[in-house]
Amino acid sequence: MSVIEAKKSEEYREEIEAILAKYEGDGFALIEILHEAQELIGYLPKDVQKIVADNLNMAPTTVSSVISFYNYFSDTPKGEYQVALCKGTACYVKGAKEIIEKIEDRYGIASGETTEDGKLSLEVVRCLGACGLSPVMTVNGKAHGLLNPEKAVTIIDKYLNREMEEV
Ligand code: FES
């Protein structure tokens, strides 16, 4: 467990215990509990998983397999800027793959990862519902379309340099 994870869990311990208390050890409430814990912390660190597993009398591996089964859950911290790049059909045929490769190359992260400084995370997702603008990505929920590899990293750089508001 990383120092950051331990700190996060300590920071949120009381609130996690309050969430658990609401469900009174009901194992069927695992998804709801994980949902609330992730809403609180932003992701589900290993030792939070252990607190939940202990409370529900479950093996930690049961909890971690539920987390890996559902795309919604994450056991790694998200970056300050969260890029979701679409690899749905419309975006794929217009070059999403090259954009993903460019982002991976430039920032040294693959889908599901966060840069070491905690600034940027990347997720490759299915159709974002803006196929007319393909290829598309969102950064912290804001859509950017008609991308090519250069345009995508220029936009991301502007976020990282806090210049995006002026764009
Ligand atoms: S396929 Fe990318 S937005 Fe629909």
Side-chain angles (χ1 to χ4, degrees), residues 68-105:
S68 30
F69 182 79
Y70 290 99
N71 277 345
Y72 168 78
F73 292 127
S74 172
D75 60 3
T76 49
K78 299 278 185 222
E80 182 181 348
Y81 295 104
Q82 297 171 25
V83 173
L85 203 128
C86 178
K87 203 183 171 186
T89 308
C91 291
Y92 189 82
V93 296
K94 289 196 178 167
K97 186 166 172 275
E98 288 71 26
I99 298 171
I100 294 163
E101 285 168 1
K102 179 83 180 175
I103 293 173
E104 288 178 343
D105 253 30

Side-chain angles (χ1 to χ4, degrees), residues 11-165:
E11 204 177 313
Y12 291 106
R13 180 175 284 273
E14 270 183 32
E15 285 158 280
I16 292 163
E17 279 167 359
I19 292 168
L20 289 166
K22 262 194 321 191
Y23 293 99
E24 299 175 336
D26 178 4
F28 290 108
L30 176 60
I31 302 278
E32 285 92 330
I33 291 167
L34 293 177
H35 181 80
E36 287 193 36
Q38 181 162 290
E39 288 283 297
L40 180 69
I41 305 175
Y43 71 110
L44 295 161
K46 285 275 182 275
D47 63 338
V48 167
Q49 295 177 33
K50 178 150 182 5
I51 295 169
V52 173
D54 287 350
N55 180 275
L56 300 178
N57 280 321
M58 284 177 182
T61 48
T62 307
V63 175
S64 62
S65 54
V66 167
I67 291 168
S68 30
F69 182 79
Y70 290 99
N71 277 345
Y72 168 78
F73 292 127
S74 172
D75 60 3
T76 49
K78 299 278 185 222
E80 182 181 348
Y81 295 104
Q82 297 171 25
V83 173
L85 203 128
C86 178
K87 203 183 171 186
T89 308
C91 291
Y92 189 82
V93 296
K94 289 196 178 167
K97 186 166 172 275
E98 288 71 26
I99 298 171
I100 294 163
E101 285 168 1
K102 179 83 180 175
I103 293 173
E104 288 178 343
D105 253 30
R106 182 172 179 88
Y107 305 105
I109 48 170
S111 180
E113 293 180 351
T114 302
T115 52
E116 272 183 20
D117 63 5
K119 291 265 189 249
L120 184 71
S121 54
L122 172 66
E123 214 167 325
V124 174
V125 297
R126 291 288 159 198
C127 183
L128 286 164
C131 309
L133 293 175
S134 59
V136 186
M137 69 177 175
T138 59
V139 182
N140 290 356
K142 184 172 190 284
H144 298 273
L146 305 174
L147 298 173
N148 58 46
E150 276 311 319
K151 189 172 169 189
V153 295
T154 301
I155 290 169
I156 294 170
D157 279 350
K158 285 185 173 165
Y159 276 102
L160 294 174
N161 296 327
R162 310 202 187 275
E163 293 165 5
M164 200 55 207
E165 287 70 24

